Amino acid sequence: AQSVTQPDIHITVSEGASLELRCNYSYGATPYLFWYVQSPGQGLQLLLKYFSGDTLVQGIKGFEAEFKRSQSSFNLRKPSVHWSDAAEYFCAVGEGLTGGGNKLTFGTGTQLKVEL
Amino acid sequence: DAGVTQSPTHLIKTRGQQVTLRCSPKSGHDTVSWYQQALGQGPQFIFQYYEEEERQRGNFPDRFSGHQFPNYSSELNVNALLLGDSALYLCASSLGPLNQPQHFGDGTRLSIL
């Protein structure tokens, strides 16, 4: 079965500093990979996605992620963090299911705190 | 362009009761998936509806059931509520059951007393 691991439960960075959030996945086939962000009391907003092709994908809000098949990783990066980036970040793998349909399997999330 | 809308935003129930949550998909989307997000956890897949049928189901008991209407909106029903059912319930929609990404609503916060 597929799984997603986000090893960092909490991360604190200073505003203006760079950010990298780690994500490792376990999936037998070529994965569909996603990063979502969740602010308190809100749903999930899609930051970026990887389906195939270029392994470095650009997303919204200045985020990017790099797919590394050899390491089964899909880490999220941002060169300069803004205070408004404080939120919880979820990595997810999309799985096509027998009989049609698909589902997302999420990691447990990384809570990002930004110090001013 | 209306996104995914869910109602109600908050709900308080007691053990043993039944609850119905509602979801309207993003305009143009025809597939709805439901997820349960317990406090401090990532969302867990409950089931997916397409063409008014349950197409896929995650590891949830039969107390969790759903429905999709001809206008693509959906309901999630939970019977015999347990304390452990307290969670944020998220609805996500997509165009077709195989398509990604899924777009999420803001969820319904269900509290069981």
Side-chain angles (χ1 to χ4, degrees), chain A residues 2 25-33 50 67 69 72 93-96:
Chain A
Q2 71 289 346
Y25 67 89
S26 172
Y27 188 62
T30 300
Y32 293 165
L33 294 164
Y50 172 78
F67 170 60
R69 184 186 299 276
S72 298
V93 60
E95 177 191 11

Side-chain angles (χ1 to χ4, degrees), chain B residues 3-99:
Chain B
V4 179
T5 58
Q6 294 186 242
S7 63
T9 54
H10 295 85
L11 205 50
I12 299 174
K13 293 286 187 179
T14 57
R15 283 180 296 174
Q17 286 189 311
Q18 177 265 343
V19 68
T20 298
L21 310 181
R22 296 176 174 83
C23 171
S24 293
K26 179 181 171 65
S27 178
H29 286 183
D30 57 7
T31 302
V32 173
S33 301
W34 287 91
Y35 292 79
Q36 180 196 64
Q37 185 179 17
L39 200 61
Q41 300 295 317
Q44 300 287 321
F45 175 74
I46 303 175
F47 42 53
Q48 184 180 71
Y49 276 84
Y50 173 66
E51 293 184 332
E52 303 180 48
E53 291 185 7
E54 182 182 298
R55 297 291 177 150
Q56 296 292 342
R57 189 177 185 90
N59 188 26
F60 279 81
D62 291 344
R63 297 187 297 108
F64 290 77
S65 63
H67 188 77
Q68 186 179 35
F69 299 93
N71 66 352
Y72 309 124
S73 66
S74 177
E75 289 181 350
L76 164 65
N77 301 292
V78 187
N79 295 321
L81 288 167
L82 304 173
L83 293 178
D85 295 331
S86 295
L88 180 68
Y89 288 85
L90 295 164
C91 172
S93 72
S94 61
L95 178 58
L98 299 178
N99 276 345

Side-chain angles (χ1 to χ4, degrees), chain A residues 1-2 5 11 16 22 24 27-29 38-39 41 43 45 53-54 57 65 68 74 87 89 91 99-100 102 109:
Chain A
Q2 71 289 346
T5 301
I11 282 185
R22 296 183 291 166
N24 292 97
Y27 188 62
Q38 186 176 37
S39 298
Q45 181 183 20
D54 194 348
V57 294
K68 293 185 177 180
F74 189 57
Y89 291 79
C91 180
N102 70 83

